[in-house]
Amino acid sequence: MRILLVEDEKKIAHFIERGLQEEHYAVDIAYEGEAALFMARTNPYDLIILDIMLPGRDGVAVCRDLRRNKLDVPILMLTARERVQDRVVGLDSGADDYLTKPFAFEELLARIRALLRRKSGSPTALLRVADLELDQLSHRVRRAGREIELTGKEYSLLEYLMLNANQVVTRTMICEHVWDIHFDSETNVIDVYINYLRNKIDRGFSSRLIHTVRGVGYILKEVLQ
Amino acid sequence: MKVNSIRFKIGVLFVVILGVVLVVYSTFLYMSLYITLYKELDDGLIAKAKEITRTIDMFVKRYGSGEEDITTLVKKVIVFEELPDPDDLDVLQEQWIHRVDILNLKDNYIAFLDIEGNVFMHSENLKGPIFFPNADEILDLREGVPVYTSSKVQNMKVRAVSYPYLFRGERLYTVQVGASLKSIMHILRNRLIHILASIPVILLVASFFGRLFVSRLLKPVFEITRTAHKISHENLSARVSKVHADEEMKYLVDAFNEMISRLEGSFSAVSDFSAHVAHELKTPLTIIKGESDIALRREREKSEYKEAITTIREESDRMLRVIEDLLLLTRLDFPEKAFIFEQFDLVALLNDLYEQSKPLARKRKLTMSMNAAVDHIFIRGDSLHIRRLFINLIDNALKYTAANGRICIDAAIMNGKAIVTVSDTGAGITAEDLPKIFDRFYRASSIRKQGTHGIGLGLSIVKSIVDIHQGCIEVKSTLGKGSSFIVILPLSVSTELIPH
């Protein structure tokens, strides 16, 4: 899951970025409104965290602009403004959620999960394909009741594949949603990670879940025999 | 409607005034009718009395033998006890009868009295005199003055005139002629009933229209009340329409609307200010809370904890600075409590600051110079706050000047004032920012983009301190070339005495 964080206060941006990365999110940061607009238009983010008080174009204007451009990415406003009218303006400008500073980091994470869930259409934090289970809360993965240890990137990749289960996922999509802006898409890192995942998830089980679609990408699905 | 309402009071006043006017006017009309009616009646009565006496006199002159006493004559002439055969009457006598007929005495009461007041003859509808004249009236009659009286005859109100009559030029008698007051009383009673009935009706109608009118007049007041109820600290946008208001009410409505506008202005200033304060305090708090949240989520390396705690300490310091600045600004709003005024040497203070700032300037690769045109400039003020003033200016210069720039402090005396200029070769201030840089929490857009730490209170503190010392501050700035802040402070009296 790739998130755009728009925040002019560098120290706030820094700790949010670290916290989100620890939760296996790929995070890009914009320090002002114009940059945020450019980045949101050129990259398919899964979620945008938007501060309101920004130099130049403020958060509300950025939000309106994004919605006017038919971008339906979930937007979470994160701001020090807590008055009812500020919340109303923020939500009416097109934001999906509103969280005031200072905030508990756990709450921010829960709200991010809720927004992503709403987008993917899954009602809980537990993703399931066949006998493979992924708990977005505890980050635990099990197959047929057996615990599977994954690294951060492996987890992100599997989460993305499971959120898009039964659909073909291209390498570009994976690179855009699982890695951040600094990722060099020319390498075969994605294939390497898919291979790691296969070793951990499919090896030793009767049915394979990760399939290669030649020339296009990958698909995670249950093939019934 | 409440008793102490304007509507009620104006209504009552209206009804009372109209009532008094109506009563006075009706009384006047009634009295004049009364007087006119009585006067007409009296005139008629006296005419009849005169005619009776004249008739008697003329009868005596024509037919009298000079022997008849008045009783016989009266009987003959007026009462016609024994009506003569019409054939026996000569032309002249017929004329007399006619004449007496014209007098039409049938409905009148007639009595003849001697001058002592004893009745010796009266008409058949009387049992005695119409009234017995009292001593005063007898005196009047003796002098030939007629007397008017209202009295009662057989329970009937009667108006009568007593007319003195000098019979044959020797004896004085009194002729009383009276008439019933029935018809006059009837007219007057009718009129009185009309008046008494119409006044309440008029007052009722008038009070109804009066209330309607007052309601219309007071409409803007009700509107102001309605608007005032609508207004709260969250909604100050309501205004009273003055379309239907009268001239005086328009002033009231205008004043009211202006007051709300002023309130709206100061409310939004206060709310802007508190929003800024909240933002400035919440930002470090967010960092502190966020850093600790993340640090505590799992076991970490020693160095990570160290980093988190360092950030937390920095942010606590930042919060402390914000709070100190805010407290200082609040205290500057009440200078009499926070300031100790004394005489001190401004040049010494500036030299001290210059020495303090030099290492900082060197660290940032800036050259710094201090130039005083005189050895001492004595001013009266709070040296701690003046120090704060120049620290803020020098800090700004250090902060916003790029490496290899220059910062100059110049002090001089001009026109009896101390002039201190702090100039730099920094980024400068745009023309649109220039008027706002002394506002609380204002940060020029260029500065905000740089991401420099600062909360926009430094210059407003400078301005407050200058104002309290009855000085002034000017800014000259060229974008990209630098800015000069010129502080002008009054000298203390003794400086002017020191020759230089």
Side-chain angles (χ1 to χ4, degrees):
Chain A
M1 295 289 101
R2 190 165 164 196
I3 293 173
L4 173 63
L5 173 62
V6 188
E7 168 65 64
D8 66 328
E9 178 67 42
K10 289 203 170 75
K11 282 186 177 170
I12 294 181
H14 180 62
F15 84 73
I16 294 177
E17 181 190 23
R18 268 192 298 138
L20 290 180
Q21 277 168 348
E22 280 181 10
E23 289 295 304
H24 313 301
Y25 294 107
V27 182
D28 294 335
I29 301 177
Y31 295 108
E32 53 174 32
E34 290 299 338
L37 273 174
F38 175 79
M39 289 167 80
R41 285 200 195 110
T42 46
N43 300 290
Y45 290 104
D46 295 295
L47 185 117
I48 297 176
I49 299 173
L50 189 57
D51 185 15
I52 290 186
M53 284 181 163
L54 293 170
R57 200 181 289 230
D58 75 4
V60 172
V62 169
C63 191
R64 285 209 183 99
D65 246 37
L66 290 175
R67 294 306 188 216
R68 208 176 295 132
N69 286 317
K70 302 274 185 281
L71 280 163
D72 63 348
V73 49
I75 295 176
L76 188 148
M77 282 200 167
L78 183 62
T79 169
R81 294 192 183 176
E82 58 170 2
R83 288 183 304 175
V84 173
Q85 67 213 69
D86 293 325
R87 294 165 195 256
V88 169
V89 168
L91 291 170
D92 281 349
S93 70
D96 298 281
D97 202 355
Y98 196 100
L99 185 59
T100 53
K101 293 177 193 166
F103 56 92
F105 201 75
E106 292 303 328
E107 187 181 356
L108 175 69
L109 290 175
R111 282 173 191 261
I112 289 173
R113 281 196 297 270
L115 286 173
L116 291 174
R117 236 181 3 250
R118 211 175 300 159
K119 193 192 166 206
S120 70
S122 117
T124 61
L126 190 70
L127 304 175
R128 183 178 289 139
V129 176
D131 54 354
L132 177 65
E133 282 179 359
L134 183 144
D135 187 342
Q136 289 178 301
L137 262 179
S138 60
H139 300 309
R140 277 155 116 177
V141 177
R142 291 157 188 247
R143 181 142 189 210
R146 212 168 77 204
E147 192 101 8
I148 297 170
E149 289 286 332
L150 295 180
T151 66
K153 265 285 158 304
E154 288 165 2
Y155 173 86
S156 307
L157 182 57
L158 181 63
E159 185 188 31
Y160 186 69
L161 287 173
M162 286 182 82
L163 281 169
N164 295 283
N166 303 317
Q167 292 168 37
V168 176
V169 175
T170 66
R171 282 188 185 77
T172 316
M173 282 164 76
I174 292 172
C175 131
E176 281 176 347
H177 289 275
V178 180
W179 273 271
D180 64 28
I181 208 162
H182 307 294
F183 178 66
D184 181 0
S185 53
E186 299 299 310
T187 63
N188 65 341
V189 170
I190 292 172
D191 299 321
V192 171
Y193 271 94
I194 289 283
N195 211 31
Y196 290 161
L197 262 188
R198 276 193 171 135
N199 282 339
K200 290 188 177 174
I201 285 166
D202 285 346
R203 178 169 292 180
F205 293 95
S206 54
S207 64
R208 280 175 41 208
L209 291 174
I210 301 171
H211 310 273
T212 307
V213 183
R214 209 157 290 281
V216 183
Y218 305 93
I219 186 166
L220 185 105
K221 68 171 180 183
E222 186 179 15
V223 181
L224 299 168
Q225 273 127 18
Chain B
M1 204 176 356
K2 280 177 190 154
V3 175
N4 59 355
S5 76
I6 290 183
R7 254 200 301 178
F8 180 79
K9 282 178 185 167
I10 293 186
V12 166
L13 190 70
F14 195 70
V15 166
V16 166
I17 290 175
L18 192 69
V20 168
V21 168
L22 275 177
V23 166
V24 168
Y25 185 61
S26 305
T27 310
F28 170 75
L29 282 184
Y30 180 80
M31 288 313 291
S32 73
L33 181 70
Y34 181 95
I35 290 166
T36 309
L37 286 175
Y38 268 81
K39 192 169 175 340
E40 261 175 31
L41 186 67
D42 287 353
D43 287 352
L45 288 177
I46 207 129
K48 280 184 181 175
K50 273 186 189 163
E51 205 54 44
I52 287 167
T53 54
R54 204 179 305 141
T55 308
I56 297 170
D57 281 348
M58 284 169 92
F59 190 86
V60 170
K61 222 186 239 171
R62 297 282 168 87
Y63 309 104
S65 55
E67 303 289 308
E68 301 97 328
D69 68 352
I70 187 154
T71 317
T72 328
L73 277 172
V74 169
K75 268 182 189 161
K76 264 202 168 130
V77 176
I78 308 298
V79 184
F80 290 108
E81 248 175 6
E82 33 200 278
L83 193 73
D85 194 342
D87 299 338
D88 296 345
L89 291 173
D90 56 22
V91 179
L92 209 63
Q93 271 183 313
E94 259 183 66
Q95 280 178 356
W96 280 122
I97 290 166
H98 186 64
R99 193 183 164 103
V100 172
D101 267 352
I102 286 172
L103 275 175
N104 189 18
L105 299 172
K106 258 182 243 151
D107 294 331
N108 287 112
Y109 303 89
I110 299 165
F112 287 87
L113 287 80
D114 62 20
I115 198 60
E116 274 77 41
N118 304 312
V119 115
F120 59 88
M121 262 203 82
H122 56 76
S123 55
E124 280 172 0
N125 49 12
L126 284 174
K127 286 177 182 154
I130 298 173
F131 69 97
F132 292 102
N134 59 28
D136 282 346
E137 287 164 350
I138 290 172
L139 223 64
D140 280 346
L141 289 167
R142 276 185 201 278
E143 277 166 24
V145 178
V147 172
Y148 301 95
T149 8
S150 296
S151 65
K152 270 194 164 175
V153 175
Q154 291 145 29
N155 283 331
M156 289 262 285
K157 280 203 164 180
V158 166
R159 179 75 177 170
V161 63
S162 304
Y163 187 70
Y165 172 42
L166 195 61
F167 182 61
R168 282 192 183 146
E170 38 192 53
R171 271 193 77 109
L172 199 58
Y173 292 96
T174 300
V175 183
Q176 288 186 335
V177 180
S180 165
L181 280 169
K182 209 170 153 190
S183 64
I184 291 185
M185 299 267 288
H186 185 70
I187 292 172
L188 287 175
R189 197 182 307 121
N190 272 354
R191 181 54 54 92
L192 196 65
I193 287 168
H194 287 159
I195 288 171
L196 291 181
S198 65
I199 286 182
V201 172
I202 291 173
L203 289 182
L204 219 66
V205 171
S207 83
F208 173 74
F209 283 106
R211 203 192 294 180
L212 220 66
F213 180 66
V214 173
S215 284
R216 269 190 71 92
L217 216 66
L218 291 178
K219 210 176 154 203
V221 174
F222 297 132
E223 217 159 286
I224 288 175
T225 314
R226 240 196 330 275
T227 312
H229 278 306
K230 258 194 279 179
I231 285 167
S232 66
H233 67 286
E234 277 166 358
N235 179 14
L236 283 159
S237 62
R239 295 286 183 280
V240 183
S241 142
K242 55 172 182 176
V243 180
H244 300 295
D246 300 309
E247 198 62 29
E248 292 86 344
M249 284 295 183
K250 267 185 188 149
Y251 294 136
L252 178 62
V253 169
D254 278 343
F256 184 78
N257 283 343
E258 275 163 27
M259 182 190 74
I260 303 172
S261 296
R262 281 198 300 276
L263 274 180
E264 200 177 16
S266 48
F267 260 105
S268 81
V270 168
S271 117
D272 280 357
F273 183 78
S274 52
H276 277 299
V277 171
H279 183 256
E280 293 307 332
L281 290 176
K282 276 178 179 175
T283 301
L285 208 56
T286 306
I287 297 167
I288 291 171
K289 195 166 159 56
E291 285 288 348
S292 21
D293 269 1
I294 287 173
L296 291 172
R297 289 193 82 213
R298 61 187 65 170
E299 287 296 320
R300 289 178 192 281
E301 297 291 313
K302 220 173 172 181
S303 65
E304 281 182 83
Y305 286 125
K306 217 170 172 178
E307 210 175 297
I309 292 169
T310 310
T311 309
I312 289 171
R313 193 180 57 188
E314 280 169 17
E315 292 310 306
S316 321
D317 287 346
R318 176 166 156 198
M319 255 179 104
L320 197 64
R321 271 203 309 280
V322 175
I323 292 169
E324 275 173 351
D325 278 357
L326 281 172
L327 284 177
L328 177 60
L329 267 178
T330 317
R331 258 179 287 144
L332 290 179
D333 288 339
F334 302 96
E336 61 277 3
K337 283 183 189 157
F339 278 62
I340 304 157
F341 275 72
E342 59 198 356
Q343 183 177 298
F344 66 92
D345 183 5
L346 190 58
V347 175
L349 186 143
L350 288 171
N351 272 323
D352 194 22
L353 282 179
Y354 169 64
E355 294 301 329
Q356 264 182 35
S357 319
K358 257 201 301 196
L360 279 170
R362 211 173 299 134
K363 225 196 240 169
R364 308 205 59 194
K365 297 195 178 73
L366 302 168
T367 46
M368 202 166 171
S369 61
M370 158 88 198
N371 177 24
V374 286
D375 289 344
H376 304 283
I377 302 175
F378 287 99
I379 65 166
R380 243 191 106 66
D382 184 317
S383 60
L384 268 177
H385 284 107
I386 293 285
R387 177 179 283 270
R388 179 63 193 261
L389 186 172
F390 289 108
I391 286 177
N392 281 6
L393 287 180
I394 295 167
D395 260 6
N396 273 356
L398 287 168
K399 233 188 269 176
Y400 303 122
T401 307
N404 301 321
R406 209 174 58 245
I407 296 168
C408 298
I409 305 169
D410 294 289
I413 295 179
M414 214 187 286
N415 302 329
K417 304 250 181 199
I419 315 266
V420 181
T421 310
V422 179
S423 47
D424 61 53
T425 57
I429 304 159
T430 61
E432 62 180 294
D433 284 331
L434 212 49
K436 300 181 207 154
I437 53 168
F438 293 112
D439 292 354
R440 288 175 188 188
F441 290 113
Y442 188 80
R443 267 186 288 171
S445 44
S446 53
I447 294 171
R448 289 179 44 165
K449 274 187 186 157
Q450 280 176 22
T452 320
H453 272 318
I455 54 165
L457 288 179
L459 282 180
S460 79
I461 289 172
V462 165
K463 179 88 170 79
S464 295
I465 295 174
V466 169
D467 285 346
I468 288 160
H469 286 84
Q470 274 137 29
C472 59
I473 181 161
E474 288 167 19
V475 199
K476 286 177 188 155
S477 185
T478 318
L479 207 59
K481 290 201 171 159
S483 319
S484 313
F485 288 83
I486 303 149
V487 178
I488 302 162
L489 294 169
L491 296 174
S492 76
V493 187
S494 51
T495 307
E496 289 160 35
L497 299 175
I498 295 168
H500 33 249

